[in-house]
Amino acid sequence: MNQWVYLNGEYVPREMARISVFDHGFLYGDGVFEGIRAYNGRVFKLGEHLKRLFDSAKAISLKIPLSFQELKEKILETLRKNQLRDAYIRIVVSRGEGDLGLDPGKCPNPQVVIIADRISIYPEKFYQEGLEVVTVGTRRNLSSALDPRIKSLNYLNNILAKLEASMRGAAEAIMLNQEGYVTECTGDNIFIVDKGTLITPPDWAGILKGITRDVVIELAREDNIPVEEKVFTPFAVYTSDECFLTGTAAEIIPVTKVDGKVIGSGKAGPVTCRLISRFRELTQREGVPIYKKEEKDG
Ligand code: PMP
């Protein structure tokens, strides 16, 4: 079956989904994006993802040429057009075509792309055995230079960290901020569990405020697990009882080794396992319905 891509108001087959080489998204990484998941016929946390997209666009003075509601409808339509119920959705808004100079003022037409694809799920083994991660030398972007809260097309900071991790044979990289505090991984937020308390860096430490991170905090509070948003150093990770990462693609994934040190028991811990099962249950029942059938089911 053909894959249809939404491109500025039209649906085109994937081979025809092309953007100009003069687009400043391509030339300079000037634009914003979102990654969203659909589970079981429903789009999970669609409103939250759209809000973050619009906030990111605002922060870089990029005008999205669709309203919140229009974009929401286009996303659902793209899923229907591709007959998907479980999917990974990528929204990209780039600055659009300009000249070879930096000036965004010369880019009158921001480009909107919606790609709905089948998900490639991580092997179940990762969720049981956990990941091995390393702390890398590449620091997370300074908030005063390029605020990590902006989900921009400029991911070179994260890519450099990912390269370091790959070169050291690790699946992910823990990035520190300028002060040496843990921020996040290259595409996921980080949590530790210390004596029953769930701890994650606050957004001002220099992180992208993950939607999955917010869901996990909410689930933990519902379970009466104490949650603290505070900064911590790699030492706190090494000596924690449990550690896990969160993100739209990875969901909740345990970390069992950091910089060669085994975390807790070396297996996914009880708090992590509980949150994984609660998260999976939530994604199966909550979200914006794509098709009429789910609408009726409520
Ligand atoms: N941090 C970074 C740098 C990311 O790219 C992502 C993935 N979008 C996350 C954290 C996790 O955010 P979310 O849970 O919203 O996918």
Side-chain angles (χ1 to χ4, degrees), residues 193-198 226 240-241:
V193 179
D194 187 34
K195 293 186 217 66
T197 299
L198 194 58
S240 67
D241 302 315

Side-chain angles (χ1 to χ4, degrees), residues 62-263:
L62 170 64
K63 173 117 186 54
I64 299 179
L66 293 170
S67 70
F68 192 95
Q69 206 48 45
E70 283 166 344
L71 190 52
K72 190 170 170 178
E73 195 39 56
K74 294 298 170 203
I75 291 166
L76 297 172
E77 206 172 88
T78 308
L79 288 159
R80 289 194 284 262
K81 185 111 184 133
N82 288 286
Q83 294 169 33
L84 289 165
R85 291 177 54 80
D86 290 274
Y88 179 82
I89 306 143
R90 174 61 60 93
I91 323 291
V92 183
V93 185
S94 74
R95 188 75 67 178
E97 230 183 292
D99 61 21
L100 291 176
L102 278 179
D103 189 1
K106 293 183 179 162
C107 308
N109 297 312
Q111 304 285 293
V112 181
V113 176
I114 307 170
I115 304 167
D117 215 337
R118 272 162 224 294
I119 18 163
S120 51
I121 302 169
Y122 288 87
E124 187 57 30
K125 184 171 158 256
F126 284 11
Y127 294 89
Q128 273 143 27
E129 291 171 19
L131 295 181
E132 181 169 350
V133 309
V134 290
T135 310
V136 294
T138 304
R139 297 291 164 117
R140 189 72 175 105
N141 278 331
L142 270 181
S143 298
S144 53
L146 175 55
D147 198 323
R149 281 175 278 213
I150 302 170
K151 197 165 167 61
S152 82
L153 292 181
N154 210 307
Y155 253 52
L156 211 43
N157 179 219
N158 314 53
I159 290 165
L160 292 176
K162 185 89 185 175
L163 279 172
E164 271 190 70
S166 307
M167 278 186 283
R168 286 160 60 188
E172 251 297 355
I174 295 179
M175 301 172 83
L176 310 179
N177 65 14
Q178 216 49 38
E179 286 74 45
Y181 292 113
V182 170
T183 59
E184 60 180 337
C185 290
T186 65
D188 295 301
N189 291 114
I190 187 166
F191 284 80
I192 55 172
V193 179
D194 187 34
K195 293 186 217 66
T197 299
L198 194 58
I199 309 167
T200 195
D203 68 343
W204 53 260
I207 62 164
L208 179 80
K209 205 159 170 284
I211 310 289
T212 321
R213 173 186 178 278
D214 287 347
V215 174
V216 163
I217 291 175
E218 215 176 284
L219 289 175
R221 291 203 167 123
E222 279 172 25
D223 260 3
N224 295 318
I225 298 169
V227 183
E228 286 182 25
E229 293 181 58
K230 64 175 189 190
V231 289
F232 52 86
T233 59
F235 178 80
V237 183
Y238 304 152
T239 55
S240 67
D241 302 315
E242 299 179 39
C243 176
F244 61 83
L245 311 182
T246 64
T248 295
E251 302 178 329
I252 301 172
I253 198 152
V255 170
T256 45
K257 212 184 231 187
V258 179
D259 297 337
K261 294 142 186 82
V262 173
I263 305 303

